[in-house]
Amino acid sequence: MIISVASGKGGTGKTMVATNLARSIGSGVQLLDCDVEEPNAHLFINPSFEESQRVFMPVPAVNEKNCTYCGKCADICRFKAIAVVNENVLVFEELCHSCGGCWEVCPEGAIQEGGRDLGVIEKGHSNGIEFIHGRLRVGEAMSPPLIKKVRYYQNPAKLTIIDAPPGTSCPVIASMKGSDFVLLVTEPTPFGLYDLKLAVAAAQILNIPHGLVINRCDLGDSKTKNYADEMNLPILMEIPFNREIAEAYSRGEMLVDVMPEWKDMFLELHLKIRHLAKLEAKH
Ligand code: SF4
Ligand code: SF4
């Protein structure tokens, strides 16, 4: 089973929920931090990393000795990532989507597959949890290929929990796609509600069952709960604002370690998710 933990906006406590859910279930869990632009789940899970690998994305490497400057590579590229100008072939790697069209179409075999450094994948373990995250190279703008690489290591024999990036754009879709359940973490504020609506729309488009965790539930207003009622969205957990929780988080400590009574609540959250995912699967 794959559970994605997402949020329309940053700072809602998404990573806190993902890491504490993983820690509460423990052995047999795989936690993938797909927030590759700012991975921080490792700060809480504290894994010992055993493996690290750089990830490269295929981009064209042109050997101009063989090039006749026919322009066929530039004609086929819909991303304008390759151009032929005055007997020069220019490659704009940051625009390239690695479709392979240019090296397929080149009549002279002048284009080979080069590689653009996307970042690094690191794998480790902590208390029975298998942990994998990606770290996007500083200056790299395209995160979905690195997210897909992190997800490549999903193990169907395990419960996979994905810490998705915040927002509702391509990186989030790449993280949520194919999940059995999306857990949306929100807070009861106008900004939280606005972004929650976008995140709900994304889960609906992907046709993935979803439910809410409301963090700092005793602050803000009642509009989030009213929206959940209107949309028939199950509220699966509410976390009150609590100084002890906030301080533990700021020290990089797990909620279930500092306040062990929360472990049962996260285990209950897991059971609710399983139940809802199973109900949806029957429909
Ligand atoms: S398609 Fe090949 S030969 Fe033609 S311009 Fe591009 S690299 Fe040169
Ligand atoms: S691989 Fe595709 S996107 Fe990249 S330069 Fe070639 S045609 Fe354009």
Side-chain angles (χ1 to χ4, degrees):
M1 183 183 193
I2 304 169
I3 302 169
S4 286
V5 185
S7 64
K9 72 187 262 300
T12 58
K14 170 182 61 65
T15 298
M16 179 181 75
V17 171
T19 51
N20 280 282
L21 182 61
R23 173 65 67 83
S24 301
I25 303 165
S27 164
V29 170
Q30 198 184 33
L31 177 62
L32 308 185
D33 189 352
C34 287
D35 189 358
V36 299
E37 287 181 47
E38 284 183 88
N40 63 352
H42 62 289
L43 300 174
F44 301 92
I45 290 287
N46 217 4
S48 52
F49 284 113
E50 295 124 16
E51 216 183 307
S52 167
Q53 69 178 87
R54 292 217 77 83
V55 177
F56 295 89
M57 183 175 168
V59 289
V62 180
N63 179 353
E64 290 204 26
K65 276 191 201 147
N66 298 340
C67 178
T68 56
Y69 307 106
C70 68
K72 288 188 177 165
C73 51
D75 292 344
I76 201 171
C77 184
R78 56 186 286 219
F79 302 103
K80 308 255 180 273
I82 190 162
V84 181
V85 184
N86 296 336
E87 303 218 328
N88 281 305
V89 183
L90 306 175
V91 177
F92 304 99
E93 289 190 357
E94 59 289 352
L95 299 179
C96 176
H97 282 58
S98 303
C99 71
C102 55
W103 54 82
E104 282 298 322
V105 86
C106 176
E108 309 299 332
I111 304 182
Q112 310 219 308
E113 202 178 296
R116 175 169 116 220
D117 184 7
L118 286 178
V120 70
I121 300 241
E122 291 173 314
K123 300 188 207 171
H125 286 87
S126 167
N127 294 309
I129 300 170
E130 183 187 359
F131 181 82
I132 303 167
H133 75 179
R135 283 192 289 112
L136 197 68
R137 178 178 56 81
V138 174
E140 173 58 57
M142 219 183 277
S143 62
L146 187 59
I147 290 171
K148 283 180 193 157
K149 191 70 183 170
V150 174
R151 292 199 58 185
Y152 170 81
Y153 293 103
Q154 272 167 211
N155 180 348
K158 293 189 172 188
L159 166 65
T160 302
I161 297 173
I162 293 176
D163 187 0
T168 47
S169 55
C170 299
V172 186
I173 302 299
S175 305
M176 292 195 327
K177 213 170 170 183
S179 300
D180 298 290
F181 196 88
V182 175
L183 191 59
L184 295 165
V185 183
T186 189
E187 57 183 20
T189 63
F191 284 135
L193 180 57
Y194 179 84
D195 291 325
L196 172 65
K197 287 178 181 175
L198 296 175
V200 167
Q204 283 172 337
I205 288 168
L206 293 171
N207 201 19
I208 305 174
H210 45 284
L212 302 188
V213 170
I214 305 184
N215 191 18
R216 298 184 278 267
C217 61
D218 43 353
L219 302 180
D221 53 37
S222 60
K223 287 181 183 157
T224 302
K225 283 191 178 173
N226 297 343
Y227 170 70
D229 278 350
E230 268 167 42
M231 299 294 290
N232 213 12
L233 286 174
I235 298 173
L236 304 177
M237 181 185 251
E238 293 184 73
I239 305 170
F241 177 74
N242 176 307
R243 198 181 167 91
E244 212 179 331
I245 295 176
E247 284 181 355
Y249 188 78
S250 68
R251 288 193 301 266
E253 291 172 356
M254 304 281 288
L255 172 56
V256 293
D257 291 341
V258 178
M259 299 166 82
E261 62 274 24
W262 277 91
K263 182 173 176 177
D264 284 343
M265 290 188 252
F266 277 99
L267 289 174
E268 199 183 315
L269 171 65
H270 175 221
L271 290 179
K272 286 179 188 169
I273 291 171
R274 278 198 171 274
H275 177 67
L276 285 170
K278 217 185 262 178
L279 276 184
E280 288 293 327
K282 278 185 189 162
H283 286 149

